[in-house]
Amino acid sequence: MLPKDLTKDIKTRLQSIKGQMDGLIKMLDEGKDPEKILLQFKAARNGLDKAHYLLLDETFRKSLAINISETSSACPGNCGNEEQIEMLRQQFPAIEVEDLTEKMKEIARLKKHLDRFNKLDQK
């Protein structure tokens, strides 16, 4: 479930884009200058990109937070990855959206390593 303020923000952006689309159709019907039409296309695309970015940021950050928490819990204190896990935990608030997928892969690798470590430890 998305936070209500994020949902409201995305919906507002989509309504604005909808208005831009209607404006584009009107501009095309009226035979407006192609340069002006292209500018409106760019504005609509930027608005859609921003709405998409907000959703991805929320989704990936939530998933990464859960994965960091699970990985931290799986590390019994002598797993050899304590420093890396702590570094990810400290970096989390400042991670840029462009870096989120890489950090998710990194934490997935750590989690896999810890799962193997814990299985060996149980034997």
Tab-separated table of all heavy atoms in Angstrom, residues 71-79 82 114 117-118 121:
chain	number	residue	atom	x	y	z
A	71	THR	N	18.452	-8.931	6.499
A	71	THR	CA	19.855	-9.341	6.419
A	71	THR	C	20.563	-9.078	7.738
A	71	THR	O	21.347	-9.900	8.208
A	71	THR	CB	20.564	-8.615	5.254
A	71	THR	OG1	19.851	-8.904	4.048
A	71	THR	CG2	22.000	-9.074	5.105
A	72	SER	N	20.271	-7.945	8.344
A	72	SER	CA	20.872	-7.629	9.647
A	72	SER	C	20.465	-8.663	10.693
A	72	SER	O	21.287	-9.097	11.495
A	72	SER	CB	20.437	-6.241	10.111
A	72	SER	OG	20.921	-5.259	9.249
A	73	SER	N	19.210	-9.056	10.650
A	73	SER	CA	18.719	-10.048	11.611
A	73	SER	C	19.353	-11.412	11.379
A	73	SER	O	19.540	-12.189	12.320
A	73	SER	CB	17.200	-10.178	11.508
A	73	SER	OG	16.585	-8.960	11.848
A	74	ALA	N	19.667	-11.721	10.123
A	74	ALA	CA	20.239	-13.029	9.794
A	74	ALA	C	21.712	-13.135	10.169
A	74	ALA	O	22.248	-14.231	10.266
A	74	ALA	CB	20.076	-13.310	8.301
A	75	CYS	N	22.367	-12.007	10.387
A	75	CYS	CA	23.798	-12.009	10.722
A	75	CYS	C	23.948	-12.207	12.226
A	75	CYS	O	23.581	-11.337	13.009
A	75	CYS	CB	24.444	-10.695	10.278
A	75	CYS	SG	26.222	-10.638	10.557
A	76	PRO	N	24.494	-13.339	12.642
A	76	PRO	CA	24.576	-13.641	14.072
A	76	PRO	C	25.668	-12.868	14.813
A	76	PRO	O	25.847	-13.054	15.999
A	76	PRO	CB	24.869	-15.146	14.078
A	76	PRO	CG	25.609	-15.375	12.813
A	76	PRO	CD	25.029	-14.415	11.825
A	77	GLY	N	26.368	-11.986	14.120
A	77	GLY	CA	27.406	-11.213	14.782
A	77	GLY	C	28.810	-11.656	14.414
A	77	GLY	O	29.769	-10.984	14.713
A	78	ASN	N	28.926	-12.787	13.765
A	78	ASN	CA	30.236	-13.266	13.328
A	78	ASN	C	30.154	-13.827	11.911
A	78	ASN	O	30.810	-14.794	11.562
A	78	ASN	CB	30.773	-14.344	14.284
A	78	ASN	CG	29.865	-15.553	14.317
A	78	ASN	OD1	28.745	-15.525	13.840
A	78	ASN	ND2	30.360	-16.638	14.893
A	79	CYS	N	29.353	-13.181	11.090
A	79	CYS	CA	29.110	-13.695	9.741
A	79	CYS	C	30.101	-13.159	8.716
A	79	CYS	O	30.084	-13.584	7.573
A	79	CYS	CB	27.684	-13.375	9.303
A	79	CYS	SG	27.350	-11.616	9.176
A	82	GLU	N	29.361	-7.942	8.758
A	82	GLU	CA	28.780	-6.951	9.655
A	82	GLU	C	29.056	-5.524	9.191
A	82	GLU	O	28.159	-4.675	9.200
A	82	GLU	CB	29.302	-7.113	11.093
A	82	GLU	CG	28.987	-8.438	11.751
A	82	GLU	CD	29.998	-9.540	11.419
A	82	GLU	OE1	30.937	-9.308	10.641
A	82	GLU	OE2	29.824	-10.640	11.948
A	114	LEU	N	24.672	-15.045	3.735
A	114	LEU	CA	24.290	-15.298	5.128
A	114	LEU	C	23.432	-16.546	5.269
A	114	LEU	O	23.565	-17.288	6.240
A	114	LEU	CB	23.551	-14.089	5.705
A	114	LEU	CG	24.433	-12.880	5.980
A	114	LEU	CD1	23.586	-11.686	6.345
A	114	LEU	CD2	25.442	-13.181	7.071
A	117	PHE	N	25.828	-19.318	5.170
A	117	PHE	CA	26.586	-19.290	6.413
A	117	PHE	C	25.762	-19.879	7.560
A	117	PHE	O	26.247	-20.719	8.316
A	117	PHE	CB	27.003	-17.857	6.753
A	117	PHE	CG	27.701	-17.700	8.061
A	117	PHE	CD1	29.078	-17.923	8.156
A	117	PHE	CD2	27.006	-17.352	9.224
A	117	PHE	CE1	29.743	-17.775	9.355
A	117	PHE	CE2	27.677	-17.217	10.432
A	117	PHE	CZ	29.026	-17.427	10.507
A	118	ASN	N	24.514	-19.467	7.659
A	118	ASN	CA	23.657	-19.946	8.747
A	118	ASN	C	23.335	-21.431	8.598
A	118	ASN	O	23.205	-22.133	9.593
A	118	ASN	CB	22.378	-19.111	8.824
A	118	ASN	CG	22.643	-17.734	9.383
A	118	ASN	OD1	23.582	-17.533	10.151
A	118	ASN	ND2	21.838	-16.757	8.981
A	121	ASP	N	26.374	-23.208	9.795
A	121	ASP	CA	26.489	-23.008	11.240
A	121	ASP	C	25.548	-23.953	12.006
A	121	ASP	O	25.841	-24.342	13.112
A	121	ASP	CB	26.188	-21.553	11.581
A	121	ASP	CG	26.638	-21.177	12.972
A	121	ASP	OD1	27.743	-21.598	13.375
A	121	ASP	OD2	25.888	-20.443	13.657
